[in-house]
Amino acid sequence: MFKKAVEAKSHQRLSGADRKKLRRNVQNKFSFLTDELLDAILPPKVEITVSKFQNRVLVYSIEGGCPMFFDIDGRGNEILPTVFALWEAPEMLPSFMLKGGEVSRYVLGGADLMFPGILIPPEGFPSFSAGEIWAVKVPGNMAPIAVGFTTMSSAEAIKAGLRGKALRIAHYYRDFLWESAEGHYVPNAGFWEDVVMEDPAVLASASGEEISDASAEQQTSTGNEEDESASTSATDAKNDTEEHIVGSMNELNLADDNSANEANTEKQNTLSTEEVDALLDQCLLQALHTTLKEKDLPIPGSTLWANHVLPCRPPGITLDIKKSSHKKLSKWLQSKASAGMITVKEDKHKKEIVLISVNRRHPDYSSFKPEKKKAEVPESSVASSTAQAQSEKMLEIIEVYKPSIHNSAIFASVGEDKGKLYTASEASDVVFKYIEKENLVKPTNKSMVVLDPILCDSLFKGAIKKGSAYPSEIHKKDVGSTFVGRMQPHQVVMRGGSEPVVRKGAIKPVQIMTERRQGNKKVTKVSGIETFLIDPDSFGSELQKKFACSTSVNELPGKKGYEVLIQGGVIEDVARYMVEHYGVPKRFIEVLDKTRK
């Protein structure tokens, strides 16, 4: 957005009312922004100027010309903080951590952030939705270097194998917006060069790749040339500049993070090369037995490492491929392929190794016994009873599927019960079990499945127009969803410790309607609550106390069920009460206000 120089059409000082409106919009937009941090970013007694650009962008700057926020559409709907504002409040936004300096060079060059360049934290990949505002940070520095919008949700990203564009960058360090304020709030350039261009060892350790000999020799020669005094003075200057940049970040406890990292490093250093090799094999076998399914194949090596191997490591242990005898992820997987346990192939376009298949008859795989995760013991019986009391009214709806006439032959072929209810995941496992049994994976392309007559009928019989040819193969990623779509949908409804109730077909929503009666009085009707295991009489009594109004319960004429009648127009209050106290999802609540014209 600010890659090229764009001249501002006008500059105007904000009035007192507009200043308050801007502060209110910013505080509503960013919930983690406290009043103290907002005063540091937009001081109450400092003039604020708004600059209008030709691309309709509004830039809000404080006195002195330092931009703090910019509005993309000029209507207040998409307000983003600048890098300057994020330095004052780095926790204003959630952030992605880059793998290292090699990745940051592309971001600082104006490129969007891709998923392979993101460092996945030990606790797992973060959760987010499409269109959210996220910042970008580099290892070793709390000050963000860029800000932008997520292009997809975390669920979509994981489904895509963490490939593609993650963040559409709107503003970054050293772009035109930055340069327009240069001289007002610019830190020492030497410090930023050290931080942004991270040591290649950080990147190599995170991605499992080996540092080139030339880079290693260059770092060694550079370290030998610098004397001790110069190194000390450079370190002091870096620390002084960091204090100037962070400013009001005193609440950030970096010492705890450093001590935790040192503790993990000490644990890692205690492992020998042979122990690291054994730990790698153990984690791989654990992943192959527990988390990696046949439908996930083929899978890139980086995705296998991040989503399957690393989560299987023992607690408190840092697993680093560089500490093993293989040094690189690709060499380690190739060694396992040479032993016959797996089949791998190098993707020449992406220059990455890909896991194609797993030999589940290999002696190492057959003899390995996967560990089962231990259930966490509650800290106290009081906490357990409190949680149980809170969950008594909570609703749980599980979508399950029953084999239909189309795909019952698949279940019979693999020995599964045709009258049982399956979740989408379990049903998908059944069809892939049949594919493995009949050896239907295409030999020349492991991502495709060849359709035999039974599988073709279960997926497409009756769904293809007459005269059209049936497909002969299907992509692996489409098998599960197509197979489940041919089954009969059911719903399992549970509430607290009550017995689960199975209902065929789609769930009918709760209907809440408000209408006028004689004397221009409003009444609210609620029906269909039995579907969600709510007792009408108890529900009516609760609403009578909640809204201080009279209620009655009547049987629906000609239908099975009851209707709760409430005096007054409380349609929104009733809907909110059902969501908060009974856990009924909003998508299962229909409201109709007949009193509005």
Side-chain angles (χ1 to χ4, degrees), residues 387-399:
Q388 184 178 359
Q390 292 177 348
S391 62
E392 283 181 353
K393 291 186 177 182
M394 296 314 295
L395 179 72
E396 185 177 2
I397 301 175
I398 303 175
E399 295 183 358

Side-chain angles (χ1 to χ4, degrees), residues 31-32 41 91 127 139 181 188 207 211 252 299 309 379 382 422 436 447 462 464 481 519 550 568 597:
S31 57
F32 295 105
I41 298 172
E91 293 184 345
S127 176
N188 188 316
S207 61
I211 307 174
L252 297 176
I299 183 172
V309 177
E379 296 181 359
V382 177
Y422 298 85
E436 184 179 1
S447 62
I464 302 295
S481 58
S550 61
K597 295 182 180 180

Side-chain angles (χ1 to χ4, degrees), residues 26-38:
V26 168
Q27 203 158 22
N28 293 337
K29 186 79 172 179
F30 308 106
S31 57
F32 295 105
L33 191 61
T34 62
D35 294 336
E36 293 77 9
L37 292 176
L38 182 59

Side-chain angles (χ1 to χ4, degrees), residues 365-587:
Y365 182 90
S366 304
S367 60
F368 182 80
K369 295 182 179 180
E371 297 180 359
K372 295 182 179 180
K373 293 185 177 180
K374 297 181 180 180
E376 296 183 359
V377 181
E379 296 181 359
S380 62
S381 58
V382 177
S384 177
S385 60
T386 304
Q388 184 178 359
Q390 292 177 348
S391 62
E392 283 181 353
K393 291 186 177 182
M394 296 314 295
L395 179 72
E396 185 177 2
I397 301 175
I398 303 175
E399 295 183 358
V400 292
Y401 303 87
K402 188 176 181 180
S404 65
I405 190 174
H406 300 293
N407 46 29
S408 58
I410 298 290
F411 288 87
S413 177
V414 295
E416 297 290 343
D417 188 359
K418 296 185 291 184
K420 180 182 173 182
L421 295 174
Y422 298 85
T423 63
S425 167
E426 293 171 344
S428 182
D429 290 340
V430 170
V431 68
F432 277 99
K433 185 177 178 181
Y434 174 81
I435 292 172
E436 184 179 1
K437 175 187 174 184
E438 300 296 331
N439 195 20
L440 298 179
V441 178
K442 193 174 182 179
T444 57
N445 187 356
K446 297 294 184 179
S447 62
M448 301 299 294
V449 175
V450 179
L451 297 177
D452 66 353
I454 297 179
L455 183 58
C456 185
D457 288 346
S458 67
L459 296 180
F460 299 107
K461 187 176 181 180
I464 302 295
K465 294 182 180 179
K466 291 183 178 180
S468 301
Y470 281 82
S472 59
E473 58 185 29
I474 186 175
H475 200 282
K476 270 187 177 181
K477 66 179 182 180
D478 299 327
V479 172
S481 58
T482 307
F483 185 77
V484 172
R486 303 276 286 177
M487 300 177 68
Q488 299 175 359
H490 288 67
Q491 309 288 338
V492 178
V493 185
M494 295 180 290
R495 182 177 297 283
S498 61
E499 290 292 329
V501 177
V502 180
R503 303 186 186 278
K504 185 178 180 180
I507 289 185
K508 295 182 180 179
V510 174
Q511 294 182 347
I512 307 176
M513 180 177 62
T514 298
E515 61 184 12
R516 295 186 185 274
R517 292 238 174 142
Q518 294 179 353
N520 201 26
K521 294 181 179 180
K522 293 183 179 181
V523 293
T524 302
K525 299 179 179 179
V526 184
S527 60
I529 60 177
E530 299 90 350
T531 303
F532 302 93
L533 307 184
I534 302 175
D535 181 57
D537 294 325
S538 301
F539 184 68
S541 301
E542 291 179 12
L543 297 184
Q544 183 178 4
K545 298 176 183 178
K546 175 71 176 177
F547 304 124
C549 61
S550 61
T551 61
S552 61
V553 179
N554 304 314
E555 188 174 358
L556 290 172
K559 296 182 180 180
K560 293 182 180 180
Y562 293 86
E563 179 183 73
V564 180
L565 187 67
I566 310 157
Q567 297 294 333
V570 290
I571 183 171
E572 295 181 357
D573 298 327
V574 172
R576 188 181 306 110
Y577 185 79
M578 296 189 69
V579 172
E580 295 177 354
H581 293 268
Y582 283 94
V584 179
K586 292 182 180 180
R587 66 179 185 276

Side-chain angles (χ1 to χ4, degrees), residues 89-158:
E91 293 184 345
M92 184 195 317
L93 294 176
S95 60
F96 292 116
M97 186 68 70
L98 299 183
K99 286 186 176 179
E102 297 296 329
V103 181
S104 64
R105 289 194 184 115
Y106 295 102
V107 175
L108 296 181
D112 292 331
L113 178 60
M114 312 299 284
F115 280 109
I118 298 175
L119 180 63
I120 300 178
E123 58 269 17
F125 195 67
S127 176
F128 53 86
S129 303
E132 290 186 1
I133 304 175
W134 280 61
V136 180
K137 295 180 181 179
V138 292
N141 186 24
M142 293 300 297
I145 64 170
V147 62
F149 296 95
T150 55
T151 60
M152 64 180 74
S153 65
S154 55
E156 294 171 338
I158 294 174

Side-chain angles (χ1 to χ4, degrees), residues 189-231:
F191 165 72
W192 268 95
E193 292 296 333
D194 291 341
V195 173
V196 174
M197 301 308 174
E198 191 68 37
D199 184 1
V202 178
L203 176 65
S205 175
S207 61
E209 296 297 333
E210 192 171 10
I211 307 174
S212 64
D213 296 337
S215 300
E217 291 174 2
Q218 183 179 2
Q219 293 175 23
T220 305
S221 61
T222 304
N224 294 334
E225 290 173 2
E226 294 182 355
D227 58 350
E228 186 173 353
S229 60
S231 176

